[in-house]
Amino acid sequence: MVDVAFKVNGEPKKLSIDPRVTLLDALRERLGLTGTKKGCDRGQCGACTVHVENRRVLPCLTLAVSLQDKAVTTIEGIADGETLHPVQQAFIDHDGFQCGFCTSGQIMSAVAVVREGAARTDDQIREAMSGNLCRCGAYPNILDAIKQVQAGDR
């Protein structure tokens, strides 16, 4: 067992875990944060996307012990109390979710795309979001949601 201390959604967390435990399993099974979804568990679908130090990360491919003293943000940590993050609200406004399974990963990637500010055209946004798959095909709605937030509309 290895001790690891990091912040999750602004709160300090300490875990004693097997060094082979992924961040995804630590979040879901040890910390009870089930908003981060386990999709393919191979880094191919993006359903588990979270932010580590404000960068998009696939926690299914990240060992939890590698996060000593780092800050992790999950879907549970982006709202401000009862006020949804603008990207969350835009997903609702544009029906950017169908079955909802990929939604948390899509939202976390979209938050990063908006924050990074480099993807402005439809093609650039699609490319920036290309690591996140949606079986339901909500891509046009997700694109519209991102563009709404980029434009500052609510």
Side-chain angles (χ1 to χ4, degrees):
M1 301 301 267
V2 176
D3 292 332
V4 62
F6 52 94
K7 283 189 176 181
V8 179
N9 300 327
E11 295 182 26
K13 302 291 181 184
K14 287 185 180 184
L15 297 173
S16 184
I17 55 175
D18 183 301
R20 297 169 291 181
V21 170
T22 65
L23 174 59
L24 178 58
D25 288 338
L27 291 170
R28 291 182 59 79
E29 297 170 13
R30 307 299 192 307
L31 299 175
L33 297 171
T34 57
T36 302
K37 301 302 181 199
K38 185 179 272 197
C40 67
D41 210 22
R42 296 184 175 172
Q44 297 175 340
C45 72
C48 64
T49 304
V50 299
H51 300 167
V52 174
E53 302 286 315
N54 288 321
R55 291 184 52 230
R56 287 183 271 183
V57 170
L58 297 174
C60 68
L61 298 179
T62 305
L63 294 176
V65 296
S66 70
L67 299 175
Q68 185 68 33
D69 300 324
K70 301 230 187 237
V72 177
T73 305
T74 69
I75 190 71
E76 292 93 345
I78 64 170
D80 183 12
E82 295 296 315
T83 304
L84 295 178
H85 185 281
V87 172
Q88 290 173 306
Q89 185 61 55
F91 266 62
I92 292 169
D93 295 347
H94 292 278
D95 196 22
F97 51 91
Q98 298 290 312
C99 76
F101 191 80
C102 72
T103 304
S104 62
Q106 293 279 0
I107 289 173
M108 294 304 288
S109 278
V111 167
V113 166
V114 171
R115 182 180 55 237
E116 292 160 4
R120 302 303 292 180
T121 68
D122 289 3
D123 285 342
Q124 289 171 337
I125 294 169
R126 285 186 193 102
E127 177 66 25
M129 293 291 293
S130 67
N132 292 82
L133 303 179
C134 173
R135 287 193 225 178
C136 301
Y139 297 116
N141 304 9
I142 292 167
L143 178 65
D144 289 343
I146 293 169
K147 290 174 14 182
Q148 173 182 309
V149 176
Q150 287 177 330
D153 301 334
R154 278 203 102 212

